[in-house]
Amino acid sequence: MEIVVQKFGGTSVADAEKIRRAAKRVIETAERGFGVVVVASARGKQTDQLVADALELNPNPPKREMDQLLSTGEQQSVSLFAMALDAMGHEAISLTGGQIRMVTDSVHTKARIKSIGAERIHEHLAQGKIVIVAGFQGIDENENITTLGRGGSDTTAVALAATLGARCCEIYTDVNGIYSADPRVFKGAVKLDQICYDEMLELASFGASVMHPRAIECGKKYDVEIHVRSSGEDTEGTIITHEVPQMEGVVVSGATIQRDLAKIGLVGVDNSPGNAARIFAHLAKAKVVVNDIIQTEISADKANLSFMIEISDLAAAKEAVDQIKGEVNCDSVFVRDDIAEVSVVGVGMRSHYGVAEKMFNALAEARVNIDSITTSEIRISCAVDEDEAEKALEAVCVVFELDKSAVQRS
Ligand code: ADP
Ligand code: ASP
Ligand code: MG
């Protein structure tokens, strides 16, 4: 029996009517002869509410307890989903991450999947049941509940599709596909029919919250075709896959804003071998993920070093830097928590020149100051004041014609 994995995000299971609509879609797929594995997220804004509840009691809640709490949102939605299917006359069973042996490492609140047990799912499918798995959660080797990071249900779905050898992984959400920019922020954004994993990974990693970046990594690695589509309307969405026709002809496919960032700078660090290693070893020990590291020599014996982190890691990063700053003879430390990054992404950048100039000109004309610039082979990112990020996004979208389909661009 061919298997299809269908993932429903928070807004798609927000209330009874939406769960029924999602359940109908699942039954239609089962009636076409597929084994259906559903992955559901917590309903509506429930995860945000649980985070707020935790912070009300403890401004720095233990991460293990956070996972224990946040995983309850998904447990509710999967059991309700199974009840809806039962009421519609279809046999179904809901399972938690622990019950399918979704084994992760022990890094609470951002755990990574190590292995998934497929046997139990196959058994239930063979009995004609629809299997509904709680997204976002796993269990570590000591049976502690873990979570995969905000938005992590996408990763549960793609990892399950890979493990089960599914025909495809459908991500049902509140937009009808991937757009050239967040359609809530840039109204002129256009829907893409297809996008390759490499571009989608950069977009997701730099702020396109429509997909969890690790879901894309997993899809690329295990060859899972991902179809992002609307849970509300029956239209074709966007296919995320390896090759997209005329990929190199399109220079920029999308643009993003990444918020909730902070920048830490160490000014006047001793310019001697081993200091960068010392600083980043401390940050790694504090489990802080670091991006956009920039080091510049200011004299023969001093250097400046800065890096970006997620704002949720700011307290841990600051503490790690405070512990090490004496050892590396740092003159002063600065922190910016009002910063955002605006990025443009496109595989065509590999073979076209002038992209950076065009982006910087657009920002200059919009009177947006650039704090720092980082690039990859297929991305250019500019850190700007958070207050100016939307203006900056609009300017780059217009200059790269992201309000036009690829064939209409000049
Ligand atoms: P779900 O709850 O279904 O997982 P998310 O809120 O995580 O949904 O993702 C969907 C949202 O992602 C959309 O409402 C949209 O505002 C946002 N988004 C950001 N960038 C993009 C983009 N490039 N294309 C489509 N949606 C985007
Ligand atoms: N419920 C979790 C969150 O809100 C996971 C997800 O929605 O993918 O982040
Ligand atoms: Mg999501």
Side-chain angles (χ1 to χ4, degrees), residues 7 9-11 172-175 177-179 181-184 208-210:
K7 179 255 170 180
T11 39
Y172 288 93
T173 184
D174 60 1
V175 270
I178 309 287
Y179 279 69
D182 186 342
R184 284 182 210 270
S209 54
V210 59

Side-chain angles (χ1 to χ4, degrees), residues 268-272 294-305:
V269 172
D270 268 357
N271 193 6
S272 53
I294 301 176
Q295 180 175 315
T296 39
E297 193 174 80
I298 47 176
S299 69
D301 38 50
K302 285 282 181 186
N304 289 344
L305 199 150

